[in-house]
Every structure is written in structure tokens, then in C-alpha cells.
């Protein structure tokens, strides 16, 4: 298909597609003349993935490029790909005092040890969670790690089991890779949104006037 048809089928403007081509997010089409190229279904699939990562996942273009480079690495194990994707959506780590950091890090590790989780998560993921506990403690929620963190782990385990099961059932390696990327990045957006919806519902139930 020509770039105009690719634009029509994907819903993405020609100018944006050309930008993705320049940035290396979309592989070049097959050249049919000095000024024209032909694109296939793989380009359409990649465009939809790029659009989802940028528009829904909120990833910067440069970060999307890093994720796609990992996706296109045939020898990269799926578990390593998951680490690349997780690192791409980790928040910046703010500075903290050594004692505060050590205390929060010990809380995170203790929760994982208590559950027998012996995998090696990315350092960025552990640091991000540790920084959350540090900031909560600084804001007066020093016991959050003991009172609330376990329930977050419980819910995350259920969601993770569903994610991994869905990804492994997607089909061939390319389909599984797409599923890992999509479910990790877009799943984060979905989870945050559902959490806000649930907070609104629980607030309504708990704060509702008993006389109504």
C-alpha cells in the first residue's frame, strides 16, 4: 500500500508517519520509485503499536525507540524484553538520605522475601518503589509500607498472572513480544485509571450520608 493508504487505514496523518520513519520508529517501505515506497501489514501493525505507546502509554518518542529496538532484537530473551519495557515506564528517582533509603529498601525486600519472590526485578523498578516509600514517609505516611504495601503486592500478583498468561497465549514469538509491550505499558495506564475509578466509588460509599 502507498503511504496515503497506510495513513487512512491507521488513522495517523501522513506527516506523522513520515516523522516516525525519520525517527526510526517505523521501518522504511519497499522503494518502488525514487519518490514512492510500498508498505505492508507489518508497517500497519507497527504503527498501531507506536501510536498506543505514545498516545495511550504516554512514552516519549526517544523511549519508544529504545523499546522498539529491544523488540526488534531477535536474540533478546522475553524476560529481558520485559525488563526494558518496565524500565521505560519507571519514574525518575529523586534523591534521599541514606538512612531513609535503606529503611524503605529493606521494607520492599522484606515484602518480596515474605512471598518467596526470588526473581531479579530491574534495579529501576526496585528503586522506583523504594523512592515511593521514602517520599510517603517524608509526608507523614511512615507506616504505609507495612499497612498498604502488602495489598498492592496481592493485587499486582493477580494482574501479573493474567498479563503473562495472556501474552504467552498470543501466538508466535512476534505476537508474544507485542503482547508483552502492550500489556505492560497500556496495562499501567489502565490500572491507574481503574484505581481512580475505584477510589471514587469507595469514597462515595464511605462518605455517603447514612440518612440518605
Amino acid at each position: 500500500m502507498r503511504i496515503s493508504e497506510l495513513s487512512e487505514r491507521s488513522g495517523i496523518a501522513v506527516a506523522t508517519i513520515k516523522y516516525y520513519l525519520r525517527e526510526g520508529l517505523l521501518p522504511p517501505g519497499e522503494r518502488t520509485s525514487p519518490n514512492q515506497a510500498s508498505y505492508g501489514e507489518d508497517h500497519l501493525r507497527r504503527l498501531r503499536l507506536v501510536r498506543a505507546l505514545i498516545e495511550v502509554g504516554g512514552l516519549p518518542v526517544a523511549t519508544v525507540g529504545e523499546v522498539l529496538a529491544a523488540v526488534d532484537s531477535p536474540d533478546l530473551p522475553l524476560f529481558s524484553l520485559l525488563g526494558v519495557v518496565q524500565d521505560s515506564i519507571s519514574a525518575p528517582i529523586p534523591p534521599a538520605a541514606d538512612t531513609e533509603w535503606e529503611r524503605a529498601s529493606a521494607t520492599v525486600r522484606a515484602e518480596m522475601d515474605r512471598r518467596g519472590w526470588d526473581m531479579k526485578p530491574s534495579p529501576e523498578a526496585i528503586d522506583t518503589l523504594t523512592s515511593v516509600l521514602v517520599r510517603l514517609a517524608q509526608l507523614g505516611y511512615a507506616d504505609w509500607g507495612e499497612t498498604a504495601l502488602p495489598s498492592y503486592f496481592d493485587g499486582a500478583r493477580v494482574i501479573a498472572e493474567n498479563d503473562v498468561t495472556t501474552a504467552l497465549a498470543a501466538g508466535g514469538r512476534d505476537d508474544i513480544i507485542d503482547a508483552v509491550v502492550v500489556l505492560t505499558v497500556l496495562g499501567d495506564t489502565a490500572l491507574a485509571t481503574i484505581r481512580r475509578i475505584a477510589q471514587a466509588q469507595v469514597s462515595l460509599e464511605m462518605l455517603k450520608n447514612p440518612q440518605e
Side-chain angles (χ1 to χ4, degrees), residues 107-124:
T107 299
V108 173
R109 293 291 180 181
E111 187 62 34
M112 294 178 62
D113 291 342
R114 185 174 69 81
R115 296 166 181 275
W117 289 12
D118 55 0
M119 43 71 72
K120 301 278 191 252
S122 67
E124 288 80 1

Side-chain angles (χ1 to χ4, degrees), residues 13-198:
V14 170
T16 302
I17 294 176
K18 290 182 177 179
Y19 171 66
Y20 291 162
L21 286 166
R22 290 195 302 271
E23 293 297 316
L25 303 185
L26 188 67
E30 181 180 353
R31 187 63 60 183
T32 56
S33 72
N35 298 317
Q36 290 188 353
S38 176
Y39 302 90
E41 294 297 323
D42 287 344
H43 290 89
L44 182 61
R45 179 177 181 176
R46 174 57 63 89
L47 265 180
R48 288 168 175 165
L49 177 59
V50 170
R51 186 178 191 182
L53 295 180
I54 293 176
E55 296 184 7
V56 183
L59 299 186
V61 169
T63 302
V64 172
E66 295 171 2
V67 171
L68 295 179
V71 167
D72 292 335
S73 300
D75 298 328
L76 186 69
L78 290 175
F79 189 78
S80 299
L81 172 62
L82 177 60
V84 171
V85 177
Q86 289 180 340
D87 291 348
S88 74
I89 56 180
S90 294
I93 309 301
D98 289 344
T99 54
E100 293 177 320
W101 187 269
E102 291 172 3
R103 188 181 304 112
S105 179
T107 299
V108 173
R109 293 291 180 181
E111 187 62 34
M112 294 178 62
D113 291 342
R114 185 174 69 81
R115 296 166 181 275
W117 289 12
D118 55 0
M119 43 71 72
K120 301 278 191 252
S122 67
E124 288 80 1
I126 294 297
D127 286 351
T128 297
L129 183 54
T130 299
S131 71
V132 169
L133 266 64
V134 168
R135 287 296 177 257
L136 284 169
Q138 292 173 344
L139 293 169
Y141 299 92
D143 62 345
W144 189 92
E146 286 74 30
T147 60
L149 189 61
S151 64
Y152 277 67
F153 269 81
D154 289 340
R157 172 72 193 212
V158 174
I159 294 170
E161 288 177 350
N162 182 75
D163 287 343
V164 174
T165 299
T166 301
L168 294 179
R173 188 179 189 277
D174 289 345
D175 297 316
I176 292 175
I177 287 174
D178 277 2
V180 168
V181 174
V182 169
L183 293 174
T184 300
V185 177
L186 301 193
D188 264 32
T189 302
L191 182 58
T193 303
I194 294 170
R195 180 171 177 262
R196 289 192 290 271
I197 294 172

